[in-house]
Amino acid sequence: SSRRRHTRCARVTGVQSVLFRSTYTPYITTRKCTPQWSGMCYIDTTNTNFRWSFPNRGFYKVKLKVVNNFGTDSIEKKVYVDFPSVKPTASFFSDRRTVGFTDQLNYYDLSLNGPTQWSWWLNPGYIGASTFAGAGLPNSWSPGSTIQNPQLNALDGGNFDVCLMVSNALGSDTLCKHNYLTVNNGYMMCNGSDSVSRLSSGYVYDAGGPTGNYSTTTTGNCPAGFRVAPCADTVVIYVERFKLLAGDSVEILQGGAGGSRVKKLGGSNLPDSLRNYKVAGGIAFFKMTTTNTNTAGDSGFAIRWSSTPASYGKPKAGFTCPTTIYTGYTLNYTNTSVGVKMSYSWDTNGDGIYGLDNPAMGLDSVVTNASRLFTTPGIYNVCLKAYNCVSADTFCRQITVLPMVSKPIADFTVSKTSGFTTDTFYFFDKSLNGPNQWLWTFSPSNVAYLNGTSATSQNPVVFLNSATCYTVTLKATNASGNDTKIISNIACTYTYTSPGTQNAIPSGTDIGISRVTLGSIDTTTALQTPTYLSMYNEQKTTLYRGVNYTVTTYRQTNYDPMTTKVWIDYNMNAQFTDAGET
């Protein structure tokens, strides 16, 4: 049988005239003669695909001729070349938009209006998320960033904008495509400084064997493991490769090193049913445990991850505090920010720097509820930045600090004036002239302080444990002196008892129920007289176990907040102290 030979050659010819397109005077712009078989010689190029720079303005014919042992065939097309009349318009595309660490991809210029210069770059230029040979490397262009159609070497993990600027003699144009490139990073387990990745996808691996990272010595240097924390609702995990010695394992945990275990993997040759996992909450943690000192012949593991983007948005920052205070006063800020997975950074000294910019002086903060002692009069712009992986929001308040010139004028209020011994009472300092010390006294003294408050708190929170009326005293102090305010019978408390017990509730007290609804029950009674009225012979309803029901209580006054308790009488004898009844 005869061997078929194939070859291709291209020839470019042109004319000088640009006025009459019907007239062609061929001339050979370049001659490159390469001897082939049978003594033939082809003009211009024999490459399968080629690029050509036209040196002059005019009409050109481009002819492609193909040859094999059975004959030849050719095709000819016309090209018109002109000088640019306007600046170029940048345009490009890439053959891939998502690649892995050390991959290569091609970029193609599609710009219009005859650009003659090109400049490519990425934004950000360098993230430093990858490590190679112990040192971070940026993504690089090959053979360079000024080539019309370069190749990109992916060495830095992250999301990047890709930009192209094109120019000719009449001007330039720039096109940037946002998040056009994703480089999925690869991390060696417990190797180098990387212990967390916030990329939306990537992989973590262990090289295995005595020359890899799989040994008790190297894993002991970073026992915390590796955390994947993208901005996501769920992390999707696929175990790509896995082979460990008996007794060695990799754990997949939810949320961090102390999180709940999703799966513990050991051995080798995992079935498909043990290769796919989902970790809710957006944070997955990989923990490796080794018990063998000789790991020769093991391949280690490679675990890839991807993620579903976060469904929540950025936080809404906010806080409350007094806006006018006096020197010597410690201002407490109450954080009212709303959002998901929030962290905080405060600027409490108005220097525009958030967080712990001067830890030695205790300025600024990253806690949820910050505070600061103001010693110098002035106007301060206090700001809170609330942020999560989506974005950040900032809220500011202007604080006026006045100089201390006179002693306080003590005053206070309480959240409600009547209630039960199990109710929470909030006392609020309303003193004038900037006190910075407080002392509360209750009579009787049978109180319990709540929420970390005490007798020296500005606004204490208490249980009033005795069923009586309390007299409360506040002593407010600053550098100029002190003042005392006493309010008798400011709050009266009562005890809960069985509904059958008749408690005397003083007339005019803001306690009582005028109506109750539950299922088909709808009762209306007078307040306070009597305190308890038995109506089980008049109204009843049927309740089923395991079903939720709503009890609604009404009152004719609402000066104080109302607390409700419900007793269940299972045997309907109007006694609520029988066994099993609460």
Side-chain angles (χ1 to χ4, degrees):
S1 61
S2 62
R3 176 182 296 177
R4 297 183 180 181
R5 292 182 176 180
H6 300 263
T7 188
R8 299 174 177 85
C9 64
R11 186 178 187 185
V12 180
T13 60
V15 298
Q16 300 298 327
S17 172
V18 297
L19 298 176
F20 303 100
R21 298 192 179 187
S22 61
T23 302
Y24 292 91
T25 304
Y27 68 93
I28 299 173
T29 59
T30 304
R31 296 184 62 88
K32 295 180 181 179
C33 194
T34 304
Q36 303 291 331
W37 56 86
S38 303
M40 291 184 291
C41 183
Y42 298 103
I43 297 173
D44 294 343
T45 181
T46 58
N47 294 327
T48 301
N49 300 295
F50 74 104
R51 296 174 57 195
W52 190 269
S53 296
F54 293 94
N56 299 298
R57 183 172 180 243
F59 295 92
Y60 292 83
K61 291 189 293 182
V62 180
K63 184 176 182 180
L64 171 66
K65 184 177 183 180
V66 293
V67 182
N68 66 15
N69 285 351
F70 297 99
T72 65
D73 189 34
S74 63
I75 185 173
E76 186 175 88
K77 294 187 178 182
K78 300 172 185 177
V79 176
Y80 175 66
V81 178
D82 200 354
F83 297 119
S85 59
V86 295
K87 72 175 186 177
T89 301
S91 181
F92 66 88
F93 79 98
S94 173
D95 55 2
R96 286 180 296 168
R97 294 186 56 185
T98 301
V99 295
F101 179 63
T102 72
D103 281 350
Q104 295 176 322
L105 64 159
N106 299 304
Y107 282 84
Y108 300 94
D109 170 49
L110 298 178
S111 304
L112 304 176
N113 303 327
T116 57
Q117 294 181 325
W118 300 264
S119 178
W120 299 83
W121 70 91
L122 302 180
N123 184 34
Y126 178 54
I127 295 178
S130 303
T131 58
F132 181 74
L137 293 175
N139 298 309
S140 63
W141 300 95
S142 179
S145 61
T146 59
I147 304 301
Q148 182 179 9
N149 299 307
Q151 185 179 73
L152 183 71
N153 304 305
L155 299 174
D156 188 21
N159 296 319
F160 300 87
D161 302 341
V162 180
C163 300
L164 168 63
M165 183 176 71
V166 292
S167 306
N168 62 21
L170 299 176
S172 63
D173 185 45
T174 300
L175 173 63
C176 287
K177 295 187 177 182
H178 182 58
N179 285 341
Y180 192 70
L181 169 64
T182 298
V183 179
N184 290 331
N185 197 14
Y187 299 88
M188 181 176 283
M189 183 77 165
C190 293
N191 187 40
S193 60
D194 289 322
S195 60
V196 60
S197 173
R198 301 190 183 280
L199 298 179
S200 60
S201 58
Y203 63 93
V204 60
Y205 64 94
D206 181 273
T211 60
N213 185 54
Y214 179 28
S215 70
T216 54
T217 301
T218 53
T219 55
N221 291 334
C222 47
F226 187 83
R227 183 163 55 98
V228 174
C231 191
D233 291 330
T234 304
V235 176
V236 181
I237 295 171
Y238 176 69
V239 182
E240 194 170 77
R241 171 174 54 83
F242 196 92
K243 182 182 179 183
L244 302 180
L245 289 175
D248 297 343
S249 64
V250 172
E251 291 180 81
I252 303 172
L253 305 175
Q254 180 182 20
S260 60
R261 179 191 293 172
V262 176
K263 191 67 179 179
K264 183 176 182 179
L265 302 173
S268 59
N269 300 321
L270 295 179
D272 291 342
S273 60
L274 295 180
R275 292 182 179 271
N276 294 277
Y277 302 93
K278 291 185 178 181
V279 180
I283 298 178
F285 191 86
F286 304 106
K287 180 181 178 181
M288 186 176 184
T289 301
T290 62
T291 60
N292 298 280
T293 57
N294 182 11
T295 60
D298 288 306
S299 59
F301 65 87
I303 300 176
R304 288 191 175 271
W305 78 84
S306 60
S307 57
T308 57
S311 59
Y312 49 87
K314 72 175 186 178
K316 180 67 175 177
F319 66 91
T320 60
C321 67
T323 56
T324 301
I325 61 174
Y326 291 83
T327 54
Y329 182 84
T330 298
L331 186 59
N332 296 308
Y333 308 102
T334 302
N335 194 329
T336 59
S337 302
V338 178
V340 176
K341 297 182 179 180
M342 293 182 290
S343 297
Y344 307 102
S345 186
W346 293 83
D347 174 22
T348 62
N349 60 348
D351 62 359
I353 301 175
Y354 290 79
L356 298 176
D357 61 348
N358 195 340
M361 296 181 63
L363 300 178
D364 297 347
S365 179
V366 293
V367 300
T368 301
N369 297 296
S371 63
R372 187 187 176 201
L373 171 64
F374 287 88
T375 59
T376 304
I379 298 177
Y380 297 82
N381 194 42
V382 177
C383 297
L384 166 64
K385 181 180 293 183
Y387 59 93
N388 58 19
C389 65
V390 177
S391 189
D393 187 48
T394 302
F395 178 82
C396 299
R397 283 185 181 273
Q398 193 174 81
I399 309 300
T400 301
V401 180
L402 301 176
M404 183 68 63
V405 294
S406 59
K407 71 174 186 178
I409 300 175
D411 193 15
F412 64 93
T413 60
V414 66
S415 59
K416 57 184 179 180
T417 59
S418 61
F420 292 90
T421 55
T422 55
D423 288 351
T424 301
F425 289 79
Y426 297 82
F427 287 84
F428 302 101
D429 168 50
K430 298 294 182 181
S431 303
L432 303 178
N433 301 334
N436 52 39
Q437 296 180 44
W438 301 267
L439 180 61
W440 297 83
T441 305
F442 292 84
S443 180
S445 60
N446 186 18
V447 300
Y449 290 94
L450 307 174
N451 300 347
T453 62
S454 69
T456 58
S457 298
Q458 182 180 8
N459 300 303
V461 182
V462 299
F463 279 156
L464 302 178
N465 293 325
S466 296
T468 185
C469 293
Y470 278 76
T471 295
V472 180
T473 302
L474 169 62
K475 181 181 179 181
T477 304
N478 64 20
S480 299
N482 61 73
D483 186 43
T484 300
K485 178 66 173 282
I486 303 174
I487 303 180
S488 300
N489 300 327
I490 187 174
C492 297
T493 55
Y494 307 90
T495 57
Y496 279 113
T497 60
S498 169
T501 303
Q502 300 295 307
N503 278 348
I505 299 179
S507 176
T509 301
D510 187 39
I511 295 177
I513 297 175
S514 60
R515 181 184 174 195
V516 177
T517 64
L518 171 62
S520 60
I521 295 175
D522 189 348
T523 70
T524 301
T525 59
L527 284 176
Q528 300 172 350
T529 305
T531 305
Y532 166 74
L533 178 62
S534 173
M535 301 187 70
Y536 69 95
N537 288 322
E538 299 180 27
Q539 295 193 36
K540 62 182 66 176
T541 190
T542 301
L543 305 180
Y544 296 94
R545 293 183 182 273
V547 179
N548 293 327
Y549 295 91
T550 300
V551 178
T552 305
T553 56
Y554 299 85
R555 63 195 302 188
Q556 293 178 341
T557 58
N558 59 359
Y559 178 76
D560 287 332
M562 180 171 61
T563 302
T564 303
K565 283 193 175 183
V566 176
W567 283 261
I568 299 176
D569 179 15
Y570 288 112
N571 57 10
M572 296 185 297
N573 66 351
Q575 298 297 320
F576 295 88
T577 58
D578 295 337
E581 295 181 347
T582 57

